[in-house]
Amino acid sequence: MLDTSPHAPHLPPAPGVGYKPQHFSDLMERPGCVEWLEVHAENYMGDGGRPHAQLRALQDCFALSVHGVGLSIGGIQPLDKAHLARLKTLLDRTNPASFSEHLAWSTHGAEFLNDLLPLPYTNETLAHVADHINEVQEVIGRQMLLENPSSYLAFDESTWRETDFLAELVKRTGCGLLLDVNNVFISATNLGYTPKDYIDSYPLAAVGEIHVGGHDEDADDHGAPLLIDSHSKPVVDPVWDLLTYTISKTGPRPVLVEWDNDVPDWPILLAEAERAAQALESVG
């Protein structure tokens, strides 16, 4: 049974950051505008120790979101039951306000591929992704949010627009959505469509979290711009503008600043969170 009770934890419509242990003292002493934290599930699947002790201390001050990267929701093969059991144990232990995963696949046979790989948007894909979401939600006993991918290519065999595909998954499973605005900007640039058109067609009523992050700029073999989702730099101005456009439509939502590689000192990350706070304030 999914936990939809009024007393269930919830994320505030405020800035959050991805938690990194080197920021523990800063968060406890001078969090500024940051009201919630995200942790990657796979980093906390051990039995205890310092990581869990820090997490318990942080949860006295911040709401918590758990973000998975290893379920391979979009994969053809069955979900890894052992991984799913470890995830349930973690969620039962921490009782976070939110749990999310990616619309992607990352396994082949017994191999785990350290990447989030794209999938074609077909009826067959829709059916097995919906089955996987239903299985996850049944096991963990709570709603999950599904994140839109950053795309570098499109499949000729796709018969669904990405936004329609996501809307149908919400309809079939009751899942929520994690809208990564940086991923929208990356995909739109790489595939040649308008980011605001994507937002206009997105099932915004299902959005439980919004993410922003940094990306790298490159060029393809023909010299066209190629953006790469790296989470290693400040958020660029066009993504901040797209965030403001998005929350002007959704109203205030929890907004996470992702910075997972080349992680900066706390003042730099806090400055990014303050820009998210400004965007939220601009729409009331």
Side-chain angles (χ1 to χ4, degrees):
M1 179 179 295
L2 303 187
D3 186 357
T4 58
S5 59
H7 64 271
H10 68 279
L11 294 180
V17 297
Y19 171 63
K20 299 295 181 289
Q22 61 263 44
H23 295 150
F24 177 78
S25 295
D26 292 307
L27 280 162
M28 298 299 289
E29 295 169 7
R30 47 190 182 121
C33 62
V34 173
E35 296 189 25
W36 62 281
L37 304 174
E38 178 193 87
V39 297
H40 287 173
E42 287 72 14
N43 292 336
Y44 291 87
M45 287 185 172
D47 290 333
R50 176 176 290 182
H52 284 282
Q54 288 186 340
L55 211 54
R56 287 193 296 272
L58 289 165
Q59 281 190 271
D60 289 337
C61 306
F62 303 94
L64 181 67
S65 173
V66 172
H67 192 47
V69 297
L71 274 179
S72 196
I73 289 287
I76 293 292
Q77 64 192 55
L79 297 178
D80 184 330
K81 299 296 191 293
H83 186 96
L84 191 52
R86 289 192 295 271
L87 175 64
K88 174 176 169 51
T89 297
L90 172 65
L91 297 178
D92 288 347
R93 169 185 283 177
T94 58
N95 191 28
S98 178
F99 167 69
S100 55
E101 250 284 0
H102 298 81
L103 180 59
W105 63 278
S106 55
T107 54
H108 181 69
E111 300 298 321
F112 179 79
L113 309 172
N114 191 26
D115 209 341
L116 298 169
L117 300 168
L119 57 158
Y121 299 135
T122 65
N123 289 338
E124 180 184 8
T125 306
L126 180 67
H128 76 250
V129 171
D131 287 345
H132 284 173
I133 292 172
N134 283 327
E135 180 181 355
V136 171
Q137 293 185 142
E138 181 65 27
V139 169
I140 66 176
R142 64 181 69 222
Q143 183 190 53
M144 66 169 283
L145 307 183
L146 190 67
E147 179 179 346
N148 56 293
S150 54
S151 297
Y152 308 94
L153 52 83
F155 289 89
D156 287 339
E157 64 190 285
S158 290
T159 56
W160 290 76
R161 285 194 310 171
E162 184 171 281
T163 51
D164 293 336
F165 190 89
L166 289 164
E168 184 64 19
L169 285 171
V170 170
K171 179 180 177 181
R172 294 191 185 193
T173 69
C175 74
L177 297 176
L178 190 167
L179 174 52
D180 191 311
V181 172
N182 185 56
N183 286 357
V184 173
F185 184 77
I186 288 172
S187 299
T189 301
N190 292 342
L191 302 183
Y193 57 82
T194 303
K196 288 183 179 179
D197 288 346
Y198 181 99
I199 297 298
D200 289 344
S201 65
Y202 196 87
L204 295 173
V207 173
E209 287 182 36
I210 297 175
H211 283 192
V212 293
H215 57 257
D216 290 327
E217 299 182 11
D218 205 334
D220 65 17
D221 292 341
H222 303 286
L226 178 66
L227 304 185
I228 301 169
D229 190 25
S230 63
H231 298 178
S232 63
K233 293 181 178 180
V235 180
V236 298
D237 287 342
V239 172
W240 287 121
D241 292 342
L242 188 60
L243 171 65
T244 300
Y245 180 79
T246 301
I247 58 179
S248 72
K249 290 177 166 293
T250 63
R253 291 287 191 276
V255 176
L256 182 87
V257 176
E258 291 187 287
W259 201 321
D260 297 319
N261 300 300
D262 300 328
V263 177
D265 291 337
W266 177 244
I268 296 174
L269 184 58
L270 179 57
E272 293 288 277
E274 288 170 346
R275 289 199 67 174
Q278 291 168 10
L280 287 163
E281 290 168 2
S282 73
V283 298

